[in-house]
Amino acid sequence: MTMNDPQQQQMIRDAMKAIAERRPGRTKLVYDKTKKTIVAVAEGSEPPRALNITADDADMFGVITLSGQWLRQEWHRLNGSASIAARFTSWDNGDAYTHYELGPQGGPTISECTIALERASEPAPRLRIVLTKVNAVGRAGNTFVATDGSIFVATAYEHQDGRDIPLDVTIAEVQPALSARRAGILETSVLSDRSALFIGLGTGGGYATIELAKCGVRRFALVDPDRLSVGNVVRHPGGISQVGRLKVHVIRDLILEKNPDAQVDVYPFAIAAENMDAIRPLVRAANVVICGTDNRPSKLLINQLCIEENVVAVYGGAFRRAYGGQVLRVQPRVSPCQQCFVSAMPEQAADVEISSPDEAEAIAYSDRPVAVEPGLSLDVLPIANFLTKLALLELLDGKPTSLDVLRRDYSAPWYLWLNRPESGTPYSGMPPLSDSSDEMTINRWYGVGFERDTACPACGDFLNVTAAAHGIDLDSVVIPSKV
Amino acid sequence: MWTSTQRTRLALEHQLLQVHEFTQFSVYHHAAGDTYSASGYASSNAGYKYHLYIPIPAGFPTQRPEMYVTEPNPLLMTGGVQINSLGVSHRMHALTPHACGWVQICHWRDNRWHSGIYLHQVFLKGLIWIEAYEQHISTGRDLADFVRTMAETA
Ligand SMILES: [Zn+2]
């Protein structure tokens, strides 16, 4: 093959065209190190010592992304005045311009852009998008169908040093694009009427919110009194530039980044007995409650409310230093509740990660501190992931999806996961993962069944059972009065 | 403000105190503010009297009740130091004192409390604390030396 070969020339032309149109071609370009030049090869044949050239290598222009939904809303204004202004975040020194209205968190550098129906515009603004009327909808991402059905193709230019430099335009249609990626597993609107209440937005709870937003859940209620600290950042989804903000606000914005149509209500207060009246309506309105707090009083209070309001709750937590973790799902008066769990497995219920000074303080005396011993985010995420999956199945309850086949696998009330054979735990002697066939090992979920306590003080008939056991007639008891 | 389940639970608690022969203690209803407390005089083996007082919190029994020694007040350590001046103290098994200066006995920590624990068990821990306190007075050793860490028993 030489560069004079007409067949090779045609192949190069085809490949260039395919790259420019960002579609797969029958031939591709490679850099042949021996010949020190670009050659075209048929798809599937791989010349030795060659480097592939992809569409990314042809990505020489900046990119500008405009919200299609916004453009439809503003269409009458554009039609009336021939041009309108829009704000874009300028990223990476002008490599990308993203419409400020597209999401909740624009970047720090804002560029004004003129959107016009005519190409000519004097004096030329620094950034402009021009919409040209065409006859048919093309396949490219820069086609726009106006509210009156007329069709436009967008081109964009950045005016620099007296010249127009073209930009690749994309008109983004957010919801269709997001739904398309979930189609087949979760149908478009299957989760749009479902509502999740999150108690605690630490590493696990924060992760769960964002994952459910990606799944298409639209209604979120977030409860957490804490602010994001510098120390949180190594584990929390929130980043260093958000430090000091309430976690409910940090997570709300991250949810909106993943699902701009989500409705997120924030409640920056603690789970405490005095707040139960405020939290009860949130529980009542939820299809599932996701509890990621690591202190027992808050879990038991939420447990009480969820039983009284008959709402399924899932609780997730890491063991100390996240050597493992656990997930409990409570179906009120059907499966064991938190109180049943505390009675049945007190050691497991008390094994919690001490991931913040507040949590350490809650279980320490001031003259005998407890060390803060958080685990790695990496070791918390498997637990958060499982918690989210259980919550998703609850949210999908009654709606047929291809995830229904999972229900038989998620039938246990309690699930155990181990990240490592931590010394000083019952799991220190586990065989290596590679050796075990049926013994317990790291990196596997174990579903554990245990019985609901029918005399449970939270979900059972505690009062009558206890009274009967002591021969007490509850109706005849009179509590003495005292001033 | 109280649910019928809570009121019935408090009636049960009152009766269990009698059944378990903790008859020096009682649950009380305070009509003025429709509040409840549990209290009574405890006698140590050495014959001293202490008044134990448990205001019932709004979230009871899910929420942990606090237990105070209201008499004698102030309660002194060997050397004359007031226990309440220590604040939260593992040495003396005490939690944050009441605004009135009453020493708060650590019975169950928040992270060990659950609604399956009865008030008579809480009073029992109060009696153990009083005996340990008197051992502290006669030996000068920390109260914690005489009680197993109550936080660990649930
Ligand atoms: Zn229960």
Side-chain angles (χ1 to χ4, degrees):
Chain A
M1 278 193 304
T2 71
M3 291 309 283
N4 296 325
D5 178 350
Q7 191 192 345
Q8 175 67 203
Q9 293 294 335
Q10 183 59 43
M11 285 170 75
I12 289 176
R13 207 172 299 126
D14 289 347
M16 295 287 278
K17 206 159 172 266
I19 287 171
E21 292 170 4
R22 293 171 177 271
R23 60 172 173 79
R26 277 192 299 277
T27 57
K28 65 178 183 180
L29 295 179
V30 298
Y31 178 74
D32 188 318
K33 291 185 193 173
T34 316
K35 293 180 181 142
K36 294 194 185 313
T37 186
I38 304 287
V39 298
V41 297
E43 193 66 51
S45 68
E46 202 67 46
R49 306 185 61 210
L51 290 172
N52 281 344
I53 292 164
T54 68
D56 289 341
D57 300 306
D59 189 3
M60 295 180 296
F61 300 118
V63 173
I64 189 163
T65 307
L66 174 70
S67 163
Q69 189 187 352
W70 178 89
L71 192 53
R72 274 189 295 281
Q73 282 163 8
E74 301 295 323
W75 190 251
H76 64 282
R77 220 157 55 79
L78 179 58
N79 246 339
S81 62
S83 87
I84 54 174
R87 293 189 307 160
F88 285 73
T89 294
S90 170
W91 299 105
D92 313 319
N93 236 343
D95 180 57
Y97 293 96
T98 306
H99 196 187
Y100 203 81
E101 316 297 325
L102 210 52
Q105 303 191 104
T109 312
I110 303 296
S111 293
E112 290 288 335
C113 175
T114 302
I115 299 172
L117 287 175
E118 300 299 328
R119 196 185 191 297
S121 173
E122 291 295 338
R126 201 177 76 71
L127 206 55
R128 72 183 191 278
I129 295 174
V130 178
L131 294 160
T132 309
K133 197 165 184 177
V134 295
N135 292 323
V137 176
R139 282 170 57 194
N142 62 344
T143 305
F144 175 73
V145 181
T147 43
D148 61 5
S150 49
I151 303 160
F152 294 82
V153 167
T155 48
Y157 304 92
E158 190 173 6
H159 196 74
Q160 266 181 7
D161 308 323
R163 307 186 293 132
D164 275 342
I165 300 165
L167 294 167
D168 280 345
V169 190
T170 298
I171 297 186
E173 299 294 354
V174 175
Q175 284 306 332
L178 296 183
S179 300
R181 305 299 164 97
R182 295 190 287 259
I185 301 287
L186 296 171
E187 298 314 324
T188 316
S189 60
V190 72
L191 285 167
S192 60
D193 65 339
R194 294 295 159 104
S195 166
L197 169 62
F198 290 80
I199 308 293
L201 298 175
T203 313
Y207 175 91
T209 55
I210 296 161
E211 288 307 309
L212 286 180
K214 290 182 197 170
C215 289
V217 173
R218 291 245 182 127
R219 281 157 49 201
F220 294 82
L222 311 179
V223 182
D224 192 308
D226 292 341
R227 290 177 182 275
L228 191 69
S229 71
V230 174
N232 292 150
V233 168
V234 290
R235 290 154 47 103
H236 197 268
I240 198 83
S241 53
Q242 308 289 313
V243 162
R245 296 183 73 196
L246 286 164
K247 285 180 181 172
V248 289
H249 290 152
V250 173
I251 293 293
R252 176 195 59 198
D253 288 352
L254 291 173
I255 289 170
L256 293 173
E257 281 284 345
K258 294 299 178 187
N259 189 351
D261 286 356
Q263 178 199 323
V264 187
D265 298 321
V266 298
Y267 304 94
F269 49 68
I271 301 302
E274 58 269 26
N275 290 334
M276 287 301 101
D277 289 345
I279 295 165
R280 183 181 295 278
L282 307 182
V283 170
R284 192 176 294 155
N287 295 104
V288 68
V289 174
I290 296 134
C291 186
T293 66
D294 261 344
N295 71 83
R296 182 182 288 181
S298 65
K299 282 191 275 199
L300 290 179
L301 288 169
I302 291 299
N303 183 59
Q304 190 68 40
L305 281 183
C306 288
I307 289 163
E308 287 169 10
E309 298 298 331
N310 197 31
V311 175
V312 175
V314 291
Y315 302 82
F319 298 139
R320 59 182 181 273
R321 295 174 56 228
Y323 76 79
Q326 56 182 320
V327 173
L328 180 74
R329 174 186 47 205
V330 179
Q331 296 159 311
R333 296 188 181 89
V334 174
S335 72
C337 78
Q338 272 288 350
Q339 174 65 40
C340 295
F341 176 55
V342 163
S343 305
M345 294 195 251
E347 290 313 309
Q348 286 85 349
D351 191 346
V352 296
E353 188 192 25
I354 311 299
S355 63
S356 74
D358 282 353
E359 280 161 20
E361 198 173 289
I363 63 168
Y365 290 95
S366 59
D367 56 350
R368 178 178 281 202
V370 167
V372 177
E373 292 189 310
L376 292 176
S377 175
L378 202 58
D379 284 338
V380 176
L381 294 193
I383 302 143
N385 197 65
F386 195 92
L387 181 72
T388 313
K389 194 69 89 62
L390 269 183
L392 178 62
L393 288 178
E394 289 305 322
L395 287 165
L396 288 169
D397 190 33
K399 300 202 175 187
T401 73
S402 50
L403 294 181
D404 283 347
V405 294
L406 275 179
R407 293 194 189 277
R408 51 158 212 177
D409 298 286
Y410 289 79
S411 59
W414 188 63
Y415 300 87
L416 172 69
W417 167 274
L418 299 160
N419 285 309
R420 53 180 186 270
E422 185 89 339
S423 65
T425 71
Y427 315 111
S428 59
M430 290 188 300
L433 185 59
S434 51
D435 287 3
S436 167
S437 51
D438 54 3
E439 297 131 301
M440 218 170 166
T441 66
I442 62 160
N443 288 14
R444 283 177 61 188
W445 278 105
Y446 295 92
V448 180
F450 66 100
E451 289 300 310
R452 181 177 159 246
D453 176 8
T454 52
C456 169
C459 76
D461 193 16
F462 173 83
L463 294 172
N464 289 320
V465 171
T466 309
H470 292 90
I472 295 169
D473 174 13
L474 284 171
D475 293 333
S476 68
V477 177
V478 177
I479 298 177
S481 287
K482 203 176 187 182
V483 179
Chain B
M1 73 183 270
W2 302 96
T3 65
S4 64
T5 306
Q6 283 179 305
R7 290 190 199 271
T8 310
R9 169 72 183 244
L10 287 162
L12 175 68
E13 294 280 2
H14 175 73
Q15 205 56 35
L16 284 173
L17 286 168
Q18 317 313 311
V19 168
H20 288 287
E21 316 239 320
F22 281 64
T23 48
Q24 71 272 45
F25 300 113
S26 172
V27 176
Y28 295 101
H29 181 242
H30 310 280
D34 190 18
T35 59
Y36 290 91
S37 68
S39 63
Y41 282 93
S43 297
S44 69
N45 277 310
Y48 294 100
K49 271 193 180 303
Y50 300 81
H51 188 252
L52 297 177
Y53 169 66
I54 302 175
I56 303 297
F60 183 82
T62 311
Q63 184 184 6
R64 182 180 69 88
E66 297 176 345
M67 175 164 59
Y68 297 97
V69 183
T70 59
E71 296 170 37
N73 183 38
L75 210 52
L76 304 180
M77 297 164 65
T78 49
V81 176
Q82 297 187 9
I83 296 177
N84 61 28
S85 70
L86 301 178
V88 178
S89 168
H90 176 263
R91 284 173 56 210
M92 299 305 287
H93 265 253
L95 299 175
T96 310
H98 194 275
C100 302
W102 305 329
V103 170
Q104 184 184 163
I105 295 175
C106 173
H107 52 92
W108 271 271
R109 310 302 310 276
D110 268 342
N111 273 285
R112 288 286 179 162
W113 176 262
H114 58 79
S115 55
I117 301 171
Y118 303 95
L119 289 180
H120 68 81
Q121 293 171 283
V122 177
F123 278 122
L124 180 62
K125 290 227 173 171
L127 296 178
I128 294 168
W129 189 92
I130 287 167
E131 293 302 327
Y133 169 70
E134 294 196 348
Q135 293 299 317
H136 159 77
I137 294 297
S138 61
T139 66
R141 290 167 59 189
D142 285 350
L143 190 146
D145 291 351
F146 301 101
V147 281
R148 212 151 62 86
T149 300
M150 292 187 189
E152 299 308 316
T153 57

